Amino acid sequence: MAESTKDKIKYKILKALDVSGFTAFDPVIRLAFGEEPQKQVTAIVKYLLIPAAFVLLCFWFWSWIGPRHKTKSGEVPTPDVVWESVQINDTIAEREAVKKSDFLLEGDERKEALEEVRVEYEALDARANALKAAVAEKEKEKAEREATLVAPLDAELDKLKTETRAAGKARDAEIAAISERVAAGEVEATVLIEAIRQDGIATDDERAKQNELKSQIDEIRSHKYKPLELARKEYDSVADKLFFLKTRLEFLDDRNLSVKLAESEAELADYMAELGSATSAKEALKIAKRAVKAEEGIERLQGQSYASAVTIYHQAKRSVFTVFVGFFMAAAVAIPVGIMCGLNKIFMACMTPIISVFKPVSPVVWLLIFQIVVGAFFPDPENNALLNFVNSIPLISSLGINPALVFSACTVAMCAVWPALVNTALGVASIDQDHVNVARVLRLGFWSRLFKIVIPSSLPLVFAGLRISLGVGWMVLIAAEALSSSDGLGKFVWDEYQNGSSLTFANIIMVCFVVGIIGFFLDRMMIILQRFVSFDGGGTSV
Amino acid sequence: MNLNKWLTTAGAVVALSSLQGEQLDLEKDELKFGFIKLTDCAPIVIAKEKGFFEDEGLQVEVIAQPNWKQLLDNVINGELDGAHMLSGQPIAATIGFGTEAHIVTAYTLDLNGNGITVSNAIWEQMQENDPDLDTDTPEHPITADSLLPIVEEKMEEGEKLQMGMVFPVSTHNYEIRYWLAAAGINPGFYTAEDKKGFTNAQVELSVTPPPQMPATLESGNISGYCVGEPWNQQAVAKGIGVPVTTNYDIWKNNPEKVFGVSAKWAEENPNTHIAVVKALIRAGKWLDAVDEDGAFLNREEAVRILSQPNYVGADFDVIKNSMTGYFYFQKTDKREMPDFNVFFKYHSSYPWYSDGIWFLTQMRRWGQITEAKPAEWYHDVAKEVYLPDVYLAAAEHLLEEGYIAEEDIPWDTDGYKPATDEFIDGILYDPMDPIGYLNSHEIGNKD
């Protein structure tokens, strides 16, 4: 009995792995349940450990080649630099959250926090000053080192320059002399030509020598002095933190919501008191007007929320949301049209030219077209009823739906519609002839034929198409966001590229992984759906 | 003109009714402003981060834009309420060069702040042509005289030297054209058919977005560029080019960026507009605050804010150079340039008509304005675009509230700066006589 329950659990897990496409972990489960240990261990080594080792090897190769591949645009970041940028991005998100809670903190909690932060600030301030001094010292060190290294080269360069100038003058004089003799007919013209040619070669030679020296000097000057870099980095991180604490102090004090509210309320109370003791009608009117204004101000304050900077988590959420909007738009068009294509040869013939021409069009082109087309529907985005409605839905409102999101989603839909459409048509057209015959014999009407025979039997192919569509959509979306600067991971990459900071490349590579991992999970999700609608139980590809 | 009159009355009413320093009657309190990742967006960013907008009861989102065209389009279609704009943009949009829309400005964000960088190869050739440049610390300003032989040599080989600027109506375009033309190099004309400005060019100037400049220079597609910070210092830091001059040397204290909004927006939200300008004036003043020794008080903090990835995002040390009063021309050539970025000094944030007229003369000089216009037209356009009344209304509030001093604002000006000859070629610019100024240049359209 116990045995069979265990088996049941085992098969349930195995089934789950199979459906979700993680069959590689199959032997691990079997091993855990003690099934043919020898065989499972072999399988684990072959299909889990070796691939894992290979991935590690790739990482090692990356961290080996990164620092060796130098360009002027910057170094290729190693995995640990990328990891550092992950942490930095996380810190940014965390700090935004802290600032937000500071903004909303009230009463004694606020006062306590204020005191705490102030103490921390002062301690850090002292440290920052010390570090700043250290940086200055290292800077001096570097300058001295550089000076001693460059000085002999500089002297050499100066010497070379004087020599070159003298040599050049001498050659010029010689050429002048020869040309006079040529004019006088004493020597052949070719001698002059040769002299000029030689002069050119000599000049090039001298220039090359000078450039050699110059580039040596340049090399020394652009050499990164490690201790200085380290000192600077340490100071920068402390200074960043210090600045964050300073902002926190502001948000806990003057810029805190409850403080601002209390101020406004006190003001209102003042006006009210004044109003009671007003002596003339004119004065009363004036004060009353002010009181109304103050009241409005309070109302506005109560509605105020902390304006958070955009973090990578927010961008990722928004991208996922956008891709689903686009994907559902695509599915809503692709499935009905695909079914009609599959059912009716004439309709298929009508659609073929359209599909063939528009399928290969680049997402960039669609984006530009949709920017114009969609723009027309939102002449005044602030007061658009639909946008305002969508933005009032609790979970979605924080994403900030705007026309940019709409046309990014439309671009996704436009590119994602084709695989789903073609696969649906194929699925419908390739229904087993027996099923069709049965339908005919039973004299099923159009709708029951559609829902009882056509759709169920074409579902696996439809979902296979939808899976490709979602993959295409995700790929297209990042490009669309980058180009249209619609918030999302694409914009994050583009902004990073524009920043051109020392972390730019690391951040871009980080996004590469984020996009890849999200894409992977989207794909797995589609695999699971696809498996649920397949009867044949056939395996899915990776 | 109508708008101006209307705003004057609105401004006056507001000024009279609120002498207690209370909040204005805002028509709209949640605003979105756009900016391009350049250090001169600082006043907008500072006004947000230091809470100056909040003090006016405004909730402001500051959003990076991918390029100048999209930024302008977003202001026109209402996606943005206002933006960091090139000085030429509101003017060009209003007269219909490029996208046509009536854009106005009541606040000048900064003066100066650009540089011209050439590639290492061109710099070497310039040094050969002019041995005086062949030192670690050559004398400035460097003119394009030593560039002329290179351009001519290229022309003989059937090629044209390629250089980059950021936008057809950008200050950068006019500055690099000015610099080249001052040395007798023809940078090309715009005509009714030629919207790229290549006609008769000896040097072809093409549009490249600022962040792509260093990469484009390195790839060899262009041999030089004119762009704002941090992209010149970036070239020095990476060792791919040499900034030869700054626009401070081309025209001392030239207007650079403005805060632009659509005329429709300004008309619908007069009090909000004043509130925004109030916050910007405070931010400008904060940025230019100095101690008794003339050292900047707040610039380091400003750099810290600007280097955040959601604002300019470049490295702290790179932005710091120009923002704290230094500029590296080469790794060895660090110069003090306290006026590299001016945000408030010299009454710089006032929306001067004379600034608008200079840009109009340059648009005419290079053919962006295709036909001759009478002098009055120049004055009229400037008055349509620049809204000093809004600025003065905001300043009046701030004066009452004690945030600024009487002498910070040019209260009684007619909107025209005095004539100046502080240009690299020493030609006198008298804003009262745009046609005469146009005709005083050797290269360029004359009326």
Side-chain angles (χ1 to χ4, degrees):
Chain A
M1 189 64 203
E3 192 63 22
S4 80
T5 334
K6 215 173 134 190
D7 269 359
K8 246 187 215 163
I9 295 172
K10 183 172 96 180
Y11 287 114
K12 258 195 188 147
I13 297 177
L14 290 179
K15 173 85 179 159
L17 284 182
D18 182 39
V19 167
S20 56
F22 285 102
T23 41
F25 292 95
D26 206 302
V28 180
I29 302 299
R30 287 185 197 271
L31 186 66
F33 284 92
E35 186 190 316
E36 297 176 275
Q38 194 66 42
K39 196 176 150 199
Q40 307 313 335
V41 170
T42 329
I44 288 175
V45 170
K46 269 191 193 160
Y47 303 117
L48 270 181
L49 292 186
I50 295 180
F54 177 73
V55 171
L56 282 180
L57 187 75
C58 290
F59 270 95
W60 172 82
F61 179 69
W62 170 16
S63 51
W64 177 81
I65 196 104
R68 278 163 185 76
H69 181 79
K70 278 205 176 101
T71 67
K72 278 179 183 159
S73 321
E75 269 172 41
V76 176
T78 54
D80 40 314
V81 178
V82 175
W83 181 241
E84 206 175 296
S85 86
V86 171
Q87 286 166 324
I88 289 174
N89 275 293
D90 192 57
T91 315
I92 291 174
E94 203 184 289
R95 285 182 179 173
E96 279 305 314
V98 171
K99 275 194 260 178
K100 185 175 178 179
S101 83
D102 284 348
F103 174 71
L104 298 170
L105 224 51
E106 297 174 9
D108 286 340
E109 272 179 63
R110 180 183 73 83
K111 280 183 193 139
E112 275 165 32
L114 186 63
E115 203 40 55
E116 217 173 278
V117 174
R118 195 165 282 151
V119 171
E120 202 182 338
Y121 178 82
E122 267 147 29
L124 206 62
D125 195 29
R127 180 137 176 262
N129 282 332
L131 285 172
K132 197 173 185 180
V135 169
E137 197 181 302
K138 289 281 183 304
E139 255 168 9
K140 223 173 107 195
E141 240 171 65
K142 186 195 174 205
E144 277 164 13
R145 243 174 70 104
E146 228 177 70
T148 46
L149 282 172
V150 167
L153 290 174
D154 239 357
E156 206 176 321
L157 183 65
D158 279 342
K159 206 176 114 206
L160 202 62
K161 269 187 197 162
T162 5
E163 275 173 21
T164 310
R165 230 166 271 151
K169 260 189 202 147
R171 282 200 305 271
D172 281 348
E174 200 184 330
I175 288 171
I178 295 175
S179 59
E180 260 167 38
R181 283 169 66 194
V182 169
E186 286 170 29
V187 287
E188 294 270 334
T190 46
V191 178
L192 179 59
I193 304 273
E194 184 55 28
I196 291 172
R197 196 173 286 149
Q198 287 305 326
D199 176 51
I201 293 171
T203 315
D204 282 349
D205 235 27
E206 286 159 358
R207 200 172 292 157
K209 268 186 209 155
Q210 279 192 25
N211 283 348
E212 166 76 14
L213 267 177
K214 274 186 192 165
S215 70
Q216 273 178 27
I217 294 173
D218 205 43
E219 183 111 330
I220 293 169
R221 285 207 174 113
S222 31
H223 176 74
K224 281 189 178 146
Y225 183 50
K226 262 275 155 58
L228 173 63
E229 299 281 308
L230 285 177
R232 210 174 252 165
K233 201 169 167 189
E234 198 179 354
Y235 169 66
D236 266 352
S237 86
V238 169
D240 256 351
K241 176 111 193 268
L242 196 67
F243 176 66
F244 165 63
L245 290 179
K246 194 174 171 198
T247 322
R248 273 196 76 180
L249 286 177
E250 283 175 20
F251 275 110
L252 282 166
D253 205 356
D254 294 348
R255 294 171 72 182
N256 182 280
L257 184 61
S258 64
V259 173
K260 283 201 281 188
L261 266 174
E263 256 171 39
S264 301
E265 268 155 16
E267 200 184 348
L268 181 61
D270 275 357
Y271 287 140
M272 286 314 216
E274 260 179 70
L275 195 56
S277 59
T279 45
S280 72
K282 208 172 158 192
E283 201 188 323
L285 185 67
K286 205 167 91 186
I287 298 170
K289 270 187 182 163
R290 274 190 204 144
V292 170
K293 232 182 185 182
E295 242 172 19
E296 279 168 5
I298 289 170
E299 219 167 275
R300 203 160 44 215
L301 270 179
Q302 278 162 343
Q304 236 179 43
S305 55
Y306 173 73
S308 168
V310 188
T311 63
I312 184 152
Y313 302 116
H314 174 87
Q315 301 287 42
K317 264 189 262 171
R318 212 177 117 116
S319 279
V320 171
F321 177 77
T322 314
V323 84
F324 276 107
V325 172
F327 172 70
F328 284 121
M329 276 157 71
V333 174
I335 295 173
V337 175
I339 289 174
M340 287 202 283
C341 282
L343 288 178
N344 190 319
K345 290 227 166 83
I346 300 173
F347 190 77
M348 173 78 117
C350 293
M351 288 304 290
T352 306
I354 293 174
I355 297 174
S356 325
V357 170
F358 290 128
K359 201 170 86 169
V361 174
S362 158
V364 176
V365 179
W366 289 126
L367 180 79
L368 299 179
I369 292 173
F370 279 116
Q371 252 177 356
I372 298 165
V373 175
V374 172
F377 290 102
F378 302 103
D380 185 9
E382 295 280 321
N383 299 316
N384 187 283
L386 178 68
L387 287 183
N388 283 343
F389 166 71
V390 178
N391 275 324
S392 66
I393 301 171
L395 275 175
I396 299 173
S397 62
S398 70
L399 295 169
I401 312 300
N402 58 6
L405 183 140
V406 178
F407 58 71
S408 303
C410 286
T411 309
V412 168
M414 201 66 210
C415 297
V417 79
W418 312 111
L421 200 164
V422 172
N423 264 32
T424 308
L426 186 70
V428 172
S430 58
I431 297 171
D432 199 335
Q433 203 53 43
D434 292 346
H435 295 176
V436 180
N437 290 338
V438 170
R440 205 167 285 151
V441 170
L442 292 177
R443 289 170 185 273
L444 288 180
F446 174 76
W447 293 111
S448 31
R449 208 172 58 181
L450 186 66
F451 287 107
K452 296 228 163 80
I453 310 254
V454 173
I455 292 182
S457 56
S458 59
L459 265 186
L461 264 176
V462 172
F463 271 86
L466 287 177
R467 182 184 158 202
I468 303 173
S469 284
L470 188 59
V472 169
W474 183 241
M475 240 157 71
V476 164
L477 175 68
I478 306 300
E481 282 172 345
L483 205 69
S484 68
S485 83
S486 161
D487 267 327
L489 289 169
K491 182 169 195 275
F492 184 86
V493 174
W494 192 244
D495 280 353
E496 267 312 317
Y497 174 60
Q498 298 215 329
N499 285 349
S501 75
S502 52
L503 271 178
T504 287
F505 285 106
N507 272 326
I508 290 174
I509 292 178
M510 177 188 76
V511 171
C512 174
F513 280 99
V514 172
V515 169
I517 291 167
I518 294 177
F520 170 79
F521 280 112
L522 290 178
D523 193 52
R524 285 295 131 144
M525 192 192 73
M526 289 308 290
I527 287 182
I528 295 170
L529 283 178
Q530 192 185 344
R531 288 298 299 271
F532 275 127
V533 297
S534 307
F535 319 109
D536 49 4
T540 40
S541 57
V542 183
Chain B
M1 295 312 294
N2 256 341
L3 179 70
N4 245 313
K5 235 182 245 163
W6 193 82
L7 279 166
T8 321
T9 14
V13 169
V14 170
L16 285 175
S17 65
S18 63
L19 288 162
Q20 295 265 314
E22 68 211 50
Q23 275 183 1
L24 292 150
D25 271 323
L26 300 176
E27 294 83 5
K28 190 173 177 190
D29 58 358
E30 285 185 14
L31 304 173
K32 284 184 194 164
F33 295 150
F35 73 100
I36 296 287
K37 288 177 177 274
L38 293 165
T39 51
D40 50 22
C41 68
I44 300 175
V45 171
I46 294 302
K48 175 178 163 58
E49 285 292 312
K50 297 303 290 176
F52 300 152
F53 284 133
E54 273 172 36
D55 289 351
E56 301 301 326
L58 298 167
Q59 281 282 91
V60 174
E61 234 184 293
V62 179
I63 309 162
Q65 302 293 307
N67 55 55
W68 291 112
K69 182 177 182 326
Q70 196 137 11
L71 173 138
L72 182 64
D73 287 349
N74 282 344
V75 170
I76 295 170
N77 70 25
E79 182 63 32
L80 295 174
D81 294 289
H84 167 221
M85 282 187 191
L86 295 157
S87 287
Q89 263 184 315
I91 301 168
T94 301
I95 63 171
F97 180 78
T99 319
E100 185 166 3
H102 190 178
I103 303 286
V104 295
T105 174
Y107 188 82
T108 305
L109 290 169
D110 71 319
L111 305 182
N112 311 325
N114 298 330
I116 295 177
T117 294
V118 297
S119 69
N120 291 331
I122 294 288
W123 175 241
E124 262 166 38
Q125 291 178 48
M126 283 172 75
Q127 285 179 324
E128 271 162 36
N129 295 336
D130 182 358
D132 288 345
L133 297 179
D134 195 4
T135 73
D136 284 343
T137 49
E139 196 181 327
H140 288 264
I142 295 173
T143 63
D145 292 341
S146 53
L147 188 70
L148 184 60
I150 304 169
V151 172
E152 281 169 346
E153 204 175 303
K154 278 251 177 192
M155 292 279 282
E156 280 162 22
E157 288 166 15
E159 276 177 57
K160 286 178 181 176
L161 196 72
Q162 301 289 324
M163 292 183 108
M165 46 85 182
V166 305
F167 201 62
V169 298
S170 65
T171 39
H172 316 82
N173 187 16
Y174 306 127
E175 280 156 15
I176 195 167
R177 275 167 198 271
Y178 201 104
W179 183 67
L180 291 169
I185 301 172
N186 190 334
F189 289 92
Y190 294 83
T191 65
E193 285 86 37
D194 180 4
K195 295 290 178 206
K196 286 179 143 177
F198 287 171
T199 304
N200 297 337
Q202 286 175 297
V203 171
E204 288 186 344
L205 297 167
S206 51
V207 172
T208 308
Q212 272 104 298
M213 285 291 188
T216 318
L217 183 75
E218 201 188 351
S219 68
N221 286 340
I222 53 174
S223 307
Y225 56 67
C226 180
V227 73
E229 273 314 294
W231 308 108
N232 296 293
Q233 294 299 277
Q234 197 72 272
V236 179
K238 289 178 176 170
I240 57 178
V242 178
V244 284
T245 188
T246 65
N247 59 344
Y248 182 81
D249 285 332
I250 297 171
W251 176 17
K252 197 175 154 197
N253 289 331
N254 60 95
E256 177 54 33
K257 301 283 182 339
V258 295
F259 175 76
V261 300
S262 74
K264 184 167 160 273
W265 187 92
E267 204 168 325
E268 285 167 1
N269 307 289
N271 286 336
T272 309
H273 199 183
I274 292 172
V276 169
V277 173
K278 274 176 77 180
L280 289 174
I281 293 176
R282 282 181 67 193
K285 180 155 171 126
W286 184 86
L287 278 160
D288 268 7
V290 287
D291 60 14
E292 302 96 46
D293 308 330
F296 288 119
L297 280 171
N298 299 321
R299 288 285 178 95
E300 192 143 340
E301 185 177 343
V303 175
R304 192 61 65 192
I305 294 170
L306 288 174
S307 65
Q308 287 174 18
N310 50 332
Y311 297 126
V312 179
D315 285 343
F316 176 81
D317 292 306
V318 173
I319 304 182
K320 197 179 128 191
N321 290 345
S322 62
M323 280 287 281
T324 51
Y326 290 99
F327 195 81
Y328 277 93
F329 287 90
Q330 300 177 59
K331 283 205 177 83
T332 49
D333 192 6
K334 178 183 179 178
R335 267 157 216 276
E336 232 172 279
M337 292 200 82
D339 283 348
F340 186 81
N341 281 118
V342 175
F343 294 102
F344 195 69
K345 262 190 291 186
Y346 313 131
H347 296 156
S348 66
S349 61
Y350 183 90
W352 297 96
Y353 296 139
S354 48
D355 292 349
I357 291 170
W358 189 80
F359 287 106
L360 285 166
T361 61
Q362 297 306 300
M363 288 175 191
R364 176 65 194 127
R365 182 180 177 191
W366 302 117
Q368 291 177 334
I369 297 169
T370 44
E371 60 213 44
K373 302 273 187 187
E376 303 86 70
W377 180 83
Y378 288 84
H379 299 291
D380 289 347
V381 172
K383 282 172 185 164
E384 236 176 280
V385 174
Y386 286 79
L387 307 176
D389 295 320
V390 175
Y391 182 90
L392 289 176
E396 217 161 304
H397 281 278
L398 289 172
L399 188 66
E400 282 157 22
E401 291 162 23
Y403 287 119
I404 54 171
E406 184 90 38
E407 67 271 15
D408 285 341
I409 305 294
W411 299 102
D412 302 320
T413 177
D414 60 352
Y416 290 85
K417 284 185 197 162
T420 172
D421 61 355
E422 289 176 317
F423 290 86
I424 198 163
D425 54 4
I427 289 177
L428 181 81
Y429 166 54
D430 178 3
M432 289 306 192
D433 178 21
I435 307 292
Y437 179 60
L438 207 50
N439 293 339
S440 59
H441 291 289
E442 216 154 282
I443 301 180
N445 285 322
K446 293 181 186 60
D447 291 336

